[in-house]
Amino acid sequence: MKYTGAQLVVRLLEQQGITTVAGIPGGAALPLYDALAERGTIRHVLARHEQGAGFIAQGMARATGKAAVCIASSGPGATNLVTAIADAKLDSIPLVCITGQVPLSMIGTDAFQEVDTYGISIPVTKHNYLVRNVADLLQVIPEAFRLAESGRPGPVWIDIPKDVQMASIEIDTLPQPGRPDAAPAVDMDELRRAAELINAAKSPVLYLGGGIVTAGASAQAVMLAEQAGLPTTMTLMALGTMPSDHPLSLGMLGMHGARFTNYILEESDLLIVLGARFDDRAIGKAEQFCPNAAIVHVDIDAAELGKIKRPHVGIHGDVSQVLERLLPLIQVQLRKPWLTRVSELRSRHPLLMPGLENPRSHYGLIDAVASALDPKHADDAIITTDVGQHQMWVAQAYPFTRPRQCLTSGGLGTMGFGMPAALGAAIAEPDRTVICFSGDGSFMMNIQELATMADENANVKIILMNNQSLGMVHQQQDMFYKRRLFAVDYQRRSDFVRIAQGFGIEACDLDTAEDPRAMLADALNHHGPCLIHCSIDVEAKVLPIVPPGASNIEMIGG
Amino acid sequence: MNMRESQFNPEQFSKAVLELTVRNHPGVMSHVSGLFARRAFNVEGILCMPVGDGAQSIIWLLVREDERLPQMVSQVAKLEDVLSVARHGADHRVFERLEAFFA
Ligand SMILES: Cc1ncc(C[n+]2csc(CCOP(=O)(O)OP(=O)(O)O)c2C)c(N)n1
Ligand SMILES: [Mg+2]
């Protein structure tokens, strides 16, 4: 068979099981777009900004765990993707990003829409390619998928010059699709040492990270917690891996964790850290985190073992495989004294959620949204957030019950993530209701994707928590910069209901609703995109808060 | 690279020599040097030559031995184009033999 490079890319994407891609065309990507059009097998979601396309792909990948694809042209198309790709890198999300490039002979001449995509993408990707020869595509495309999904997942960027897309090649058979590598063998000696530590501990805490989601190990992690009587905390990335109403769940730790959670960690004598990387927002001042605890650390990325905290037992491996072998070595323990102490701390220092009964206040709205969902399908819903106060309130208050339910920008903390990611999730999982909690600042960073959402008629419900401010920064200035509020409050109110309607999206306003709960239930429980606006008090705070540079037990408020 | 410090002087700091076997292609040097640059980890010396049929190269790096070096090595080892990393002690002579060119 004879293929052009572009046709080959399309065939190889098909082989990887790709049915939907998101992107925006342009001169250097035109052969690829023409091949997509000619073949007609892959649905293309036309975003309004490449960053939107990147986050739509992320939403697909985060909802399913499979690598998703975004496409852009050279130059500005490629640079517009960078933020979404960097975001995927920091949260270990499998993406394959394909960009057009100026023809090989023009690379380095400052040609129209030429940027050094290869150079720009190095620090924000797991791996990247500049394809110099059409035959290389046979190896590069499958390998990109293999790398994106192997070990610790991440984004892989493939830059393809226009002439390589147009060059033709004669081949008999297509190469096999790329599949993730097998995980490394588990060191059984280390595993036995871990089991000994867990069995001997007096006040252990289980600390779960996003790796549990990636490995599909949440049921096993819950089993470990139940078997060994381990109170369990989760990072932002791991919310939902243990259901929030589980008696052993301590919720999220760290900067905006509940007081009891951080206090319990402080008293632990053993931390069992699974698929987490001791992020500074989770552990505060590293030297003072869990001062009396020995550490068992399991991660698929060997470089994470000892990067921030030196573990007493470090196990390099897939956390699901590790747990499979570890569970039989773990004694059943009721752990009465420690769990009694844990409940004592929990009742003495609970998470305070003022205004919970008022659906027009921050915590109350989040609670009202969760309650308004049809209980039969509430667990199926996907929740995305943007970045700011609203994100942390959702992390604290939303009753997450399963992995891949909470999609949020953790590592990069990218405003503008929520809505396009929700759109991607809704495209990948059309039977679910996808709820995006956004803030007025974040929402305006990718507001153009409302048009894409209208095109797709996606089942996304945007809960816009409008405090007329960059609320999280407002809070920081208020608390740590002597309330010198500067460049945080928006002067003019934008009419978000009309903006949404202008894009062809239904919209309603809880501010003027006679019965806000009824309005919410109505908006959430019928199919199709909808924006639900609600004003939020700009003075509301995310509490407790660990001040910058402090240790986790030096919380303020809450 | 700091100009004054790049005057090689083995007494100045305790050093380590890293030997990376890499795929030989135009981007690999950027990948390796970028890892060090973003962590503000100075590379004192660098030497790269293709080996065998030219599909692979060896990159020799002369670096300061400090407490971040093990993490640097783990990060370098993660690079897809880096096939292996070996760490040699201060006694490795690859850079000393080049001294004549930097007199
Ligand atoms: C792209 C980007 N720019 C700047 C920031 C810094 N930042 C973090 S939170 C925040 C305010 C977010 O405002 P909004 O989306 O309205 O949420 P709120 O805090 O008001 O709930 C800002 C500016 C960021 N995280 N991302
Ligand atoms: Mg706001």
Side-chain angles (χ1 to χ4, degrees):
Chain A
M1 269 294 279
K2 199 167 172 183
Y3 298 98
T4 65
Q7 289 169 331
L8 196 54
V9 171
V10 175
R11 290 300 180 109
L12 294 172
L13 291 180
E14 280 173 21
Q15 282 213 98
Q16 294 292 152
I18 297 299
T19 53
T20 307
V21 298
I24 300 184
L30 278 177
L32 179 57
Y33 272 82
D34 194 45
L36 284 166
E38 175 195 45
R39 182 84 178 142
T41 45
I42 295 179
R43 176 155 84 112
H44 182 272
V45 177
L46 179 58
R48 297 325 196 246
H49 185 293
E50 287 83 358
Q51 187 184 116
F55 283 136
I56 290 168
Q58 272 219 42
M60 300 195 279
R62 288 184 192 240
T64 62
K66 308 286 292 169
V69 176
C70 55
I71 304 180
S73 192
S74 66
T79 54
N80 273 351
L81 271 175
V82 169
T83 300
I85 304 304
D87 188 277
K89 173 83 189 298
L90 277 161
D91 285 347
S92 306
I93 304 302
L95 283 190
V96 172
C97 156
I98 301 176
T99 46
Q101 180 56 282
V102 302
L104 277 175
S105 60
M106 295 174 76
I107 288 182
T109 66
D110 302 321
F112 179 63
Q113 297 193 330
E114 183 196 356
V115 293
D116 176 11
T117 303
Y118 184 87
I120 288 172
S121 55
I122 288 174
V124 297
T125 55
K126 184 172 176 188
H127 193 53
N128 62 345
Y129 301 90
L130 168 59
V131 182
R132 290 190 194 77
N133 188 315
V134 61
D136 291 349
L137 288 168
L138 296 167
Q139 176 228 328
V140 165
I141 304 273
E143 191 173 279
F145 280 89
R146 175 176 70 78
L147 289 173
E149 291 180 350
S150 292
R152 179 178 184 169
V156 178
W157 195 318
I158 309 172
D159 197 33
I160 314 179
K162 191 172 184 178
D163 50 348
V164 175
Q165 297 171 43
M166 293 190 301
S168 57
I169 183 171
E170 183 83 46
I171 49 168
D172 298 334
T173 49
L174 292 169
Q176 290 297 306
R179 295 285 174 243
D181 296 332
V186 179
D187 182 332
M188 288 306 288
D189 290 337
E190 292 293 296
L191 197 84
R192 273 187 285 272
R193 288 184 53 214
E196 278 164 25
L197 283 176
I198 296 169
N199 290 335
K202 292 276 174 292
S203 53
V205 173
L206 182 60
Y207 165 174
L208 305 178
I212 296 288
V213 178
T214 309
S218 50
Q220 291 163 296
V222 172
M223 208 181 289
L224 172 66
E226 290 173 350
Q227 202 165 315
L230 306 174
T232 302
T233 186
M234 288 160 275
T235 67
L236 180 62
M237 299 308 296
L239 291 177
T241 51
M242 174 181 272
S244 59
D245 60 356
H246 193 289
L248 288 168
S249 170
L250 306 177
M252 183 173 71
L253 76 161
M255 182 160 175
H256 294 299
R259 276 187 178 265
F260 72 86
T261 311
N262 288 332
Y263 289 145
I264 289 166
L265 278 159
E266 179 77 7
E267 293 188 13
S268 68
D269 69 350
L270 176 69
L271 263 187
I272 304 127
V273 186
L274 306 182
R277 59 182 175 89
F278 295 99
D279 176 72
D280 51 286
R281 296 293 156 122
I283 70 165
K285 196 171 190 179
E287 309 80 64
Q288 285 164 25
F289 178 62
C290 299
N292 305 316
I295 294 174
V296 171
H297 191 183
V298 180
D299 207 284
I300 190 70
D301 180 354
E304 289 300 339
L305 304 174
K307 184 183 83 176
I308 306 288
K309 293 286 262 185
R310 181 134 304 279
H312 298 73
V313 177
I315 301 178
H316 176 214
D318 171 84
V319 68
S320 171
Q321 293 181 8
V322 169
L323 284 171
E324 190 182 313
R325 290 165 180 74
L326 182 66
L327 280 166
L329 309 180
I330 298 298
Q331 293 161 7
V332 174
Q333 302 215 22
L334 296 178
R335 247 185 250 285
K336 264 280 176 56
W338 175 227
L339 291 180
T340 306
R341 174 68 183 151
V342 166
S343 14
E344 193 179 301
L345 285 168
R346 189 196 291 270
S347 49
R348 208 183 305 157
H349 307 283
L351 182 69
L352 303 179
M353 292 191 277
L356 197 60
E357 60 304 317
N358 175 8
R360 281 189 278 229
S361 74
H362 49 307
Y363 287 119
L365 176 55
I366 293 162
D367 185 65
V369 167
S371 328
L373 286 170
D374 177 349
K376 286 202 297 289
H377 303 298
D379 291 351
D380 298 339
I382 292 175
I383 312 301
T384 78
T385 78
D386 258 303
V387 171
Q389 290 182 307
H390 63 279
Q391 175 189 34
M392 290 299 117
W393 289 322
V394 169
Q396 292 176 329
Y398 196 90
F400 293 108
T401 51
R402 62 173 184 91
R404 300 198 185 282
Q405 184 177 30
C406 173
L407 313 184
T408 192
S409 170
L412 198 64
T414 313
M415 293 168 69
F417 169 91
M419 194 254 285
L423 174 53
I427 288 168
E429 312 252 289
D431 296 334
R432 298 185 189 273
T433 300
V434 183
I435 298 168
C436 165
F437 286 95
S438 189
D440 49 329
S442 297
F443 188 50
M444 282 192 274
M445 289 218 181
N446 273 317
I447 198 164
Q448 75 288 343
E449 300 311 324
L450 281 175
T452 318
M453 190 176 290
D455 283 351
E456 296 291 322
N457 194 34
N459 196 22
V460 174
K461 314 296 180 181
I462 299 155
I463 312 287
L464 184 57
M465 300 176 72
N466 182 4
N467 51 12
Q468 191 62 21
S469 173
L470 298 167
M472 188 57 106
V473 185
H474 180 113
Q475 167 168 352
Q476 297 262 344
Q477 291 181 346
D478 189 358
M479 297 182 72
F480 306 123
Y481 291 84
K482 303 194 180 120
R483 198 173 163 80
R484 207 197 321 264
L485 299 173
F486 183 74
V488 285
D489 296 333
Y490 296 122
Q491 293 172 30
R492 209 183 162 282
R493 282 191 84 82
S494 306
D495 187 339
F496 289 104
V497 168
R498 279 177 64 201
I499 290 170
Q501 287 165 346
F503 279 106
I505 304 272
E506 267 183 51
C508 59
D509 196 347
L510 295 187
D511 292 358
T512 53
E514 267 183 31
D515 182 347
R517 289 183 193 275
M519 183 182 268
L520 264 179
D522 180 55
L524 294 179
N525 293 309
H526 74 264
H527 190 94
C530 182
L531 179 130
I532 299 141
H533 175 270
C534 185
S535 292
I536 296 294
D537 179 4
V538 68
E539 297 304 335
K541 299 281 184 282
V542 185
L543 297 173
I545 180 171
V546 176
S551 83
N552 271 356
I553 53 162
E554 299 173 77
M555 291 161 278
I556 300 176
Chain B
M1 238 179 281
N2 180 309
M3 286 304 284
R4 283 194 31 233
E5 281 180 355
S6 72
Q7 298 290 320
F8 178 71
N9 176 354
E11 316 312 328
Q12 242 176 356
F13 52 88
S14 104
K15 61 176 178 167
V17 172
L18 302 181
E19 177 186 4
L20 321 183
T21 308
V22 303
R23 294 204 181 93
N24 180 14
H25 74 84
V28 67
M29 201 63 111
S30 283
H31 276 269
V32 172
S33 57
L35 273 190
F36 286 85
R38 77 168 269 213
R39 292 176 178 79
F41 198 110
N42 204 30
V43 176
E44 305 288 335
I46 189 161
L47 185 65
C48 177
M49 292 279 273
V51 290
D53 63 359
Q56 295 179 6
S57 300
I58 290 182
I59 300 178
W60 294 96
L61 300 174
L62 179 68
V63 294
R64 281 168 192 252
E65 171 85 72
D66 74 19
E67 76 287 349
R68 296 178 303 158
L69 189 57
Q71 176 62 20
M72 280 309 319
V73 172
S74 316
Q75 294 292 345
V76 171
K78 273 205 304 189
L79 291 175
E80 188 53 29
D81 287 332
V82 173
L83 306 171
S84 68
V85 186
R87 184 174 159 175
H88 303 281
D91 53 341
H92 202 280
R93 294 182 49 83
V94 60
F95 285 98
E96 283 180 37
R97 294 191 200 165
L98 292 172
E99 256 180 281
F101 296 97
F102 293 84

